Amino acid sequence: MKLFLAGMESAETVYVVNKGLVDNAFFSYYYMKGKKTNSKNLINARPKIKTIIIDSGAHSFFSEQGAVLNISATYYKEKKSKTTESPDDYFAKYKEWIKEYWDYFDYYVELDIGELVGQDKVLGWREELKQAGLFSKCITVVHPEVVNWKEFLQQLEDTESNYIGIEGDRPRKRPRLNYNKYIKECYKRKIKIHGFAMIKEDAIREHPFYSVDSASWKAGSMYGATKVLTKDGKRSTAKFKSKEDVFSKIRGCNPLKLHDKQTKANMWNTAYELAIESYKHLEHEITNLWQKRKIVW
């Protein structure tokens, strides 16, 4: 199983990219659109990363459309700011961006907002991508709310990238999707399946996705704590907000103290390094687990 690090477009990730620590990365178009600096980060990262996927930013765009949501309003936390950009305009700009940066990524995710605009609109956008010669790298996405089983099977027939995605757990009280039902169909057809925001240990031990992603590796700087490997090789949560010896018990690292801005930056860089090390350990462990269960992608 491949674990993709999400949120790679921002400046604070440059350090770990330049050190060659990142194998698989998610960059979000939403945070690169109109920002040449963030798109430049993608260009500079390309030679250093094995596989790059561009996310459409559908979740963020969906959240900005909160004022017009109905059933899906319970799925997404609305952003305080609302966009005046229409879905068609967003898609058109995304398509042009894909053309411009085509050589700098391996796959991109379609604008999967069928619950907002209707799945027929999404299917129309797929046709536009095909006509533009851009569909070969497209990861189409399954949302069971708008894609039934028959349509899912047709989606597998239509894919050119041999890579699809399926929604991850949503922040509401409902049973987890029967992911294995979808994974089984993909696996027997040799089509990769990605679980969005699904680097959750209970989930990836039960569901053999080809790949999953999460931005939780950046939690050290966002929330002051992240998963790391301890000296005995176990994954544990470490807190990074202390102004004292925050790393003294982790992998034998030299303690860092927050005396100035540079030192603080160094601390977050170290937090990222430790989190990535932990993710790679988890990736290896989960891959071996599924190989023992005779699931080999």
Side-chain angles (χ1 to χ4, degrees):
M1 189 178 297
K2 294 183 182 297
L3 273 55
F4 280 78
L5 306 183
M8 289 301 306
E9 65 283 339
S10 53
E12 70 266 20
T13 67
V14 171
Y15 171 80
V16 290
V17 170
N18 287 341
K19 285 200 71 174
L21 301 179
V22 181
D23 293 330
N24 305 301
F26 251 50
F27 286 73
S28 175
Y29 164 73
Y30 184 85
Y31 296 107
M32 291 190 288
K33 63 185 177 76
K35 298 180 180 179
K36 288 293 184 181
T37 300
N38 284 1
S39 292
K40 186 178 179 181
N41 290 340
L42 167 67
I43 294 172
N44 292 337
R46 171 69 283 186
K48 304 176 181 71
I49 298 176
K50 291 179 181 178
T51 307
I52 293 176
I53 294 177
I54 304 300
D55 184 64
S56 67
H59 184 281
S60 297
F61 180 74
F62 210 126
S63 300
E64 283 195 343
Q65 293 282 318
V68 298
L69 300 184
N70 43 60
I71 185 172
S72 294
T74 59
Y75 301 165
Y76 298 94
K77 182 179 180 181
E78 292 183 27
K79 289 181 177 292
K80 293 181 179 179
S81 60
K82 297 292 188 294
T83 181
T84 58
E85 189 173 26
S86 72
D88 280 317
D89 287 342
Y90 188 97
F91 170 76
K93 291 176 183 177
Y94 184 38
K95 183 174 72 172
E96 291 306 309
W97 187 94
I98 289 168
K99 287 181 183 178
E100 182 176 356
Y101 293 93
W102 183 259
D103 294 333
Y104 299 102
F105 58 84
D106 299 283
Y107 301 95
Y108 69 91
V109 181
E110 70 175 342
L111 185 57
D112 54 311
I113 55 173
E115 292 162 271
L116 177 64
V117 299
Q119 191 63 12
D120 285 345
K121 171 68 75 173
V122 174
L123 295 177
W125 287 338
R126 287 182 194 171
E127 288 303 314
E128 288 190 44
L129 294 169
K130 291 177 183 178
Q131 292 172 17
L134 302 174
F135 198 58
S136 62
K137 292 185 179 182
C138 183
I139 296 176
T140 58
V141 184
V142 182
H143 289 283
E145 292 282 349
V146 292
V147 177
N148 63 36
W149 184 252
K150 182 178 179 181
E151 291 165 337
F152 163 68
L153 295 179
Q154 185 60 51
Q155 183 175 337
L156 298 186
E157 293 293 327
D158 292 341
T159 181
E160 291 182 11
S161 66
N162 287 320
Y163 209 160
I164 70 158
I166 188 167
E167 67 178 53
D169 288 338
R170 286 169 164 175
R172 65 167 180 164
K173 293 181 180 179
R174 69 160 195 184
R176 177 171 282 169
L177 288 176
N178 183 2
Y179 289 111
N180 285 352
K181 178 181 178 182
Y182 294 88
I183 294 170
K184 182 178 179 180
E185 286 296 326
C186 292
Y187 187 77
K188 74 180 184 181
R189 297 165 186 250
K190 298 183 179 179
I191 294 174
K192 303 169 185 175
I193 181 168
H194 181 90
F196 290 98
M198 286 297 286
I199 299 184
K200 302 173 180 179
E201 291 199 40
D202 65 321
I204 59 180
R205 292 179 189 278
E206 294 178 12
H207 308 295
F209 296 100
Y210 171 81
S211 60
V212 290
D213 75 274
S214 176
S216 59
W217 69 282
K218 298 172 76 174
S221 61
M222 292 190 291
Y223 308 116
T226 192
K227 290 284 187 180
V228 300
L229 284 180
T230 58
K231 292 176 183 179
D232 59 1
K234 296 181 180 179
R235 298 180 80 240
S236 180
T237 298
K239 297 181 179 180
F240 296 106
K241 282 189 173 180
S242 170
K243 292 186 179 181
E244 300 303 323
D245 299 346
V246 292
F247 296 125
S248 60
K249 297 181 180 179
I250 304 169
R251 304 291 285 176
C253 294
N254 292 326
L256 297 176
K257 295 183 179 181
L258 303 182
H259 293 309
D260 53 41
K261 183 177 180 180
Q262 183 61 40
T263 303
K264 185 174 183 179
N266 288 344
M267 188 180 84
W268 299 143
N269 287 339
T270 303
Y272 290 153
E273 287 191 66
L274 292 169
I276 292 172
E277 179 187 36
S278 172
Y279 268 54
K280 288 184 176 180
H281 177 84
L282 178 62
E283 180 180 68
H284 180 73
E285 179 183 339
I286 296 299
T287 299
N288 285 344
L289 171 68
W290 286 109
Q291 286 178 345
K292 290 178 182 178
R293 296 174 180 175
K294 309 301 181 184
I295 303 293
V296 180
W297 288 93

